[in-house]
Amino acid sequence: MLRSLVGSEMCIRDRVKKVAKAKAEFPANLVEKKPRTFSIGGAIRPSGDLTRFVKWPKYVRLQRSRRVLYKRLKLPPAINQFSSTFDKAQATQLFRLLNQYKPESKAQKSQRIADAAEAKAAGGNAASKKPVCLKMGINHVTKLVEEKEAKLVVIAHDVDPIEIVLWLPSLCKARGIPYCIVKSKARLGALVGKKTATCLAVTEVKPEHKGDLEALKTLCDAHFTSEYEKAMRTWGDAELSERQSHKVAKLLAAQKK
């Protein structure tokens, strides 16, 4: 019993001595390391690309899924024809003419009517002729094409759903009306003061622009009207995804061995 007590006392003394000998060492670095945590309630994240953290709106996800799906499928000719559009130089020439015939705004229309009313009150000629401008709206443009009043029809390539304008090139071809497909519905909408526009029609131009209109008609005939039969026989090729293309390349490499 005495031996056990003596042994325990000696162990306690050794521990006390060891504690007393332990000295606080001076840190090698004066700046204390404080790692940041970026969890909820923690430090603010440094600025960077947060795309992978964003949950995009549903309409954006649908747009992207539809775009990928169209690439993976073989498109029938009626839809594939909208992938062929005017190039940058041709589109610039077209929109240079269309910009001259933007519809009048509400303020301009009110001012024209007010001027006509003042002229009538003064006993003068009260004729208030509407300015020459672009025609918009699928129903209006269709009527102009059927009655052969349209001289040029401009169709957007990215109308959704595409069935709205799917038949319009065929109708223009049947009526002998020059037509063209351009990018995009937002650009056409900007011409007529709208967010988007499916198609536009030119029914009349000023004498100084008749040469430009004839040049555009020639372009439309060369790129669309004369190529219509060929376009109706051409299917859109499906594009492989990156994973599928790697798989095909791997199979081809294995066959060569």
Side-chain angles (χ1 to χ4, degrees):
M1 185 72 179
L2 290 173
R3 288 181 180 179
S4 61
L5 290 173
V6 172
S8 61
E9 287 179 3
M10 291 179 66
C11 291
I12 293 171
R13 288 175 185 174
D14 292 341
R15 290 177 184 175
V16 171
K17 288 179 181 179
K18 289 179 181 179
V19 171
K21 287 181 180 179
K23 295 182 180 180
E25 295 182 0
F26 193 78
N29 191 352
L30 294 176
V31 179
E32 185 179 357
K33 187 176 181 180
K34 295 180 180 180
R36 294 183 295 172
T37 58
F38 299 111
S39 59
I40 296 175
I44 299 174
R45 291 187 60 86
S47 60
D49 187 9
L50 302 178
T51 305
R52 67 189 185 93
F53 297 102
V54 175
K55 184 175 181 181
W56 295 97
K58 191 172 182 179
Y59 78 95
V60 174
R61 285 177 282 158
L62 287 174
Q63 286 175 351
R64 293 177 177 179
S65 299
R66 187 189 302 113
R67 182 177 60 191
V68 173
L69 183 62
Y70 280 171
K71 289 181 179 180
R72 303 291 176 263
L73 297 175
K74 291 192 68 175
L75 297 179
I79 298 177
N80 186 54
Q81 66 176 331
F82 289 93
S83 61
S84 175
T85 61
F86 267 167
D87 60 22
K88 186 176 180 180
Q90 295 163 346
T92 302
Q93 183 179 350
L94 172 66
F95 281 96
R96 188 182 298 116
L97 174 64
L98 298 183
N99 279 322
Q100 305 292 328
Y101 296 96
K102 291 183 177 181
E104 59 182 354
S105 62
K106 290 183 178 180
Q108 292 172 338
K109 184 177 180 180
S110 300
Q111 184 64 36
R112 176 171 58 84
I113 294 173
D115 293 342
E118 289 178 3
K120 186 176 181 180
N125 186 12
S128 177
K129 188 177 180 181
K130 292 182 179 180
V132 179
C133 63
L134 298 170
K135 308 300 180 182
M136 61 177 173
I138 186 66
N139 292 333
H140 191 190
V141 172
T142 302
K143 184 179 179 182
L144 294 173
V145 172
E146 288 177 342
E147 296 177 355
K148 297 185 178 181
E149 294 181 8
K151 295 183 178 179
L152 177 64
V153 176
V154 185
I155 308 170
H157 84 296
D158 56 347
V159 178
D160 182 39
I162 195 64
E163 288 82 0
I164 295 175
V165 294
L166 193 63
W167 45 269
L168 192 53
S170 301
L171 181 62
C172 292
K173 172 70 174 177
R175 293 292 188 271
I177 305 296
Y179 73 93
C180 60
I181 300 172
V182 298
K183 299 177 181 179
S184 62
K185 61 183 180 182
R187 195 173 182 185
L188 293 185
L191 291 172
V192 292
K194 304 289 184 182
K195 288 184 178 180
T196 58
T198 57
C199 57
L200 301 176
V202 178
T203 56
E204 189 179 354
V205 293
K206 298 174 183 178
E208 60 267 24
H209 296 143
K210 285 186 177 180
D212 297 336
L213 181 61
E214 292 300 323
L216 286 171
K217 283 184 178 180
T218 305
L219 277 177
C220 293
D221 182 67
H223 288 83
F224 297 98
T225 308
S226 61
E227 298 292 325
Y228 178 79
E229 299 298 334
K230 181 181 177 181
M232 288 296 101
R233 296 191 302 269
T234 305
W235 283 67
D237 294 329
E239 296 182 17
L240 296 178
S241 65
E242 188 175 354
R243 182 173 60 181
Q244 288 173 324
S245 59
H246 284 315
K247 189 175 181 180
V248 171
K250 190 176 181 181
L251 288 173
L252 293 175
Q255 290 175 359
K256 291 180 180 179
K257 290 182 180 179

